[in-house]
Amino acid sequence: MNSRRDFVKKTALVGTGIALAPTVAYTASETSKETLKVALIGVGLRGTNHLTNLLQRKDVSIEAICDIDPTRITIAKDHIAKAGFKAPKVFGKDDYDYRNLLEEKSIDAVIISTPWLWHTRMAVDAMKAGKYTGVEVSAANTMEECWDLVNTHEETGSHLMILENVNYRRDILAVLNMVRQEVFGELIHFRCGYQHDLRFVKLNDGVTPYGKGVEFGDKGISESKWRTQHSLLRNGDVYPTHGVGPIATMCNVNRGNRFVSMTSHATKAIGLNKYIVENGGKDHPNAKLNWKQGDVITSTIATANGETIIVTHDCNSPRPYSLGFRVQGSQGLWEVDGSRIYIEGKSEPHRWDDAKAWLDKYDHPLWKKYGEYATGSGHGGMDFFVLNAFVESAKQNIAPPLDAYDAAAWSAITPLSEASIANNGEPQDFPDFTRGLWVSRKPYNWIKETY
């Protein structure tokens, strides 16, 4: 933590910047703030992680925090005081007190880490208030919300960054480096998803966030208070961006390419019921619930440039964690499961290489230069990089690497998957959130050592 604090204090990460809007060429702001004045809306477990990382920096101040849970406010204030920062203004008297926070003229940027149903409305309000906005994943639940994000960004000129940290994972950035250097040849196919046993997150005892009990909703705590309800009422891929975000970046979605259509299917739903019966008994009231979300949801996306992407959501059954990445081109492929790579003409014919040597060779400039500072920031270090990109972009008031159009396109997988499943796998067309400008938008320059 101290090394990261020294790094940010002594080093100015100034990037080349990216387009202020789809129609504008790459440009950086003429003025850059020395200190970014930040507010946090939501200081639960995820919001507190962002707060902890912000407190390691000398180029930010924490102007305000907002949460309707007084316990979380107390924890956040304690962290801020121990870090030697001034006491922030506090909001949270009711669900909409965040709007009073947004009226504070001193605030430059806000980070939203709240339950999913609040993401879009809070992000829209923040952009309308002229704040540089960072929103946790997923950014939207419905197609209307996806358009709300895009329309508000275009109407106000305020920037939005979807805080997709997996885009900054070390192996992902190394593979992106390989993609940009055409090691895999011309890209043709991808696999990705969110495959993570979350039964112990969706169900708990109302006291312990993870690992005990079978309660949720009003009787739950942390994510079980709100996340589990989505599994009860919705049959779709409700959490697609960890997988699809990095893949969309590799194949330049919204920047020379776009999602065109998607089909989705769901298995039967038995995982959560089985978990409740085994841990709470067959007579527990929750054992009688009819869960709507299928245990495994599979979606196939077609792109304008002719690639296909298989996205899997698998969170209700016992399994080891994996985002299931596969990147395949005309010259070879990488698969995260098994940590293996095959490159025609380089690998022994018909035999996999261990991926480590390849990933080391193409290690991303960001990780090579600043990897030590990322240690301890969360999620293997990638939380440092995603937050750093947000802060540096906001200081210059330029479009972030992952913008409103990305937030909309990636999040649209959720409502489209629901519609496809409800209609027996019927293909669903993706809206073009750039209104045709994906043809001329240039990809962000990812292969650099700034952010």
Side-chain angles (χ1 to χ4, degrees):
M1 287 297 189
N2 289 334
S3 62
R4 288 193 290 123
R5 184 184 292 114
D6 294 340
F7 152 66
V8 177
K9 181 178 179 180
K10 297 176 181 177
T11 307
L13 297 184
V14 180
T16 58
I18 58 175
L20 296 176
T23 55
V24 181
Y26 290 121
T27 181
S29 174
E30 293 181 359
T31 60
S32 178
K33 298 179 184 297
E34 291 185 4
T35 301
L36 186 71
K37 297 178 179 180
V38 181
L40 293 99
I41 302 176
V43 286
L45 296 182
R46 186 59 180 150
T48 300
N49 178 261
H50 285 311
L51 174 63
T52 300
N53 287 324
L54 286 169
L55 293 173
Q56 308 309 310
R57 305 183 66 107
K58 295 299 183 183
D59 58 351
V60 302
S61 65
I62 309 301
E63 297 294 306
I65 56 175
C66 180
D67 202 295
I68 59 173
D69 184 346
T71 301
R72 299 309 308 181
I73 289 289
T74 300
I75 292 171
K77 288 172 64 178
D78 183 58
H79 282 319
I80 293 167
K82 287 182 178 178
F85 281 58
K86 69 177 183 180
K89 292 183 177 180
V90 174
F91 299 82
K93 63 183 180 182
D94 56 44
D95 286 345
Y96 289 93
D97 200 24
Y98 75 90
R99 289 177 173 169
N100 294 318
L101 176 152
L102 294 174
E103 291 180 1
E104 294 290 324
K105 302 299 183 183
S106 64
I107 295 170
D108 301 316
V110 298
I111 294 176
I112 298 166
S113 307
T114 54
W116 296 338
L117 294 181
W118 288 92
H119 283 184
T120 298
R121 69 187 73 186
M122 288 176 168
V124 165
D125 287 343
M127 285 188 281
K128 286 181 177 179
K131 311 304 183 186
Y132 201 106
T133 304
V135 63
E136 266 300 337
V137 299
S138 288
N141 293 276
T142 67
M143 200 61 69
E144 181 182 12
E145 287 187 338
C146 292
W147 277 113
D148 285 346
L149 295 174
V150 170
N151 291 338
T152 304
H153 160 63
E154 292 181 344
E155 290 165 4
T156 64
S158 300
H159 292 294
L160 173 78
M161 179 172 175
I162 181 170
L163 301 175
E164 183 43 75
N165 58 352
V166 179
N167 275 68
Y168 293 87
R169 208 170 82 175
R170 191 164 201 158
D171 59 344
I172 292 297
L173 283 178
V175 172
L176 176 61
N177 194 13
M178 296 175 71
V179 166
R180 291 294 187 261
Q181 296 190 44
E182 300 183 346
V183 174
F184 300 108
E186 184 174 354
L187 300 175
I188 55 176
H189 179 68
F190 305 89
R191 293 184 183 178
C192 61
Y194 192 63
Q195 302 174 131
H196 190 185
D197 182 358
L198 293 182
R199 296 171 300 166
F200 72 104
V201 174
K202 294 182 180 183
L203 299 161
N204 56 43
D205 60 2
V207 178
T208 310
Y210 305 133
K212 295 182 179 180
V214 294
E215 304 291 353
F216 71 98
D218 292 340
K219 294 183 178 180
I221 191 175
S222 190
E223 290 181 66
S224 76
K225 290 185 72 69
W226 56 268
R227 184 172 188 158
T228 316
Q229 196 74 6
H230 291 266
S231 299
L232 182 64
L233 300 178
R234 307 174 69 188
N235 194 9
D237 186 337
V238 297
Y239 203 61
T241 71
H242 282 335
V244 83
I247 298 304
T249 298
M250 291 179 192
C251 59
N252 296 323
V253 167
N254 295 328
R255 300 165 177 84
N257 196 6
R258 78 176 187 91
F259 297 148
V260 174
S261 65
M262 187 179 80
T263 61
S264 298
H265 294 84
T267 69
K268 54 190 172 183
I270 61 173
L272 292 177
N273 178 264
K274 180 175 180 288
Y275 183 85
I276 292 168
V277 170
E278 290 176 348
N279 292 275
K282 62 182 178 60
D283 294 325
H284 191 283
N286 289 342
K288 299 174 175 60
L289 296 174
N290 182 23
W291 299 90
K292 190 171 183 180
Q293 185 182 57
D295 288 353
V296 179
I297 294 167
T298 306
S299 302
T300 301
I301 301 172
T303 72
N305 288 350
E307 303 99 348
T308 55
I309 306 168
I310 296 175
V311 187
T312 303
H313 182 276
D314 180 358
C315 298
N316 296 338
S317 300
R319 58 157 301 121
Y321 173 86
S322 174
L323 299 187
F325 287 113
R326 173 175 172 179
V327 176
Q328 187 167 2
S330 60
Q331 195 67 26
L333 72 163
W334 165 70
E335 291 187 349
V336 68
D337 293 332
S339 185
R340 55 193 191 177
I341 285 179
Y342 178 81
I343 304 298
E344 189 173 48
K346 301 290 185 179
S347 305
E348 185 179 345
H350 306 291
R351 293 187 180 276
W352 293 100
D353 291 341
D354 187 297
K356 186 179 185 307
W358 287 95
L359 297 178
D360 288 346
K361 178 180 179 180
Y362 290 93
D363 196 18
H364 193 277
L366 274 174
W367 276 94
K368 286 195 289 188
K369 189 168 185 178
Y370 303 125
E372 66 176 288
Y373 303 109
T375 301
S377 69
H379 292 96
M382 57 195 184
D383 283 352
F384 165 79
F385 291 106
V386 69
L387 190 64
N388 188 64
F390 173 77
V391 170
E392 293 298 332
S393 299
K395 283 165 59 178
Q396 299 177 74
N397 195 30
I398 57 175
L402 312 174
D403 62 16
Y405 305 97
D406 299 319
W410 305 353
S411 299
I413 291 171
T414 294
L416 291 177
S417 68
E418 289 181 284
S420 182
I421 291 167
N423 290 279
N424 298 315
E426 181 180 72
Q428 304 294 311
D429 292 332
F430 267 89
D432 174 10
F433 293 104
T434 72
R435 309 178 209 272
L437 292 173
W438 64 272
V439 174
S440 57
R441 293 186 80 204
K442 302 299 182 184
Y444 177 74
N445 176 22
W446 279 93
I447 312 303
K448 55 191 177 73
E449 58 180 26
T450 49
Y451 65 91

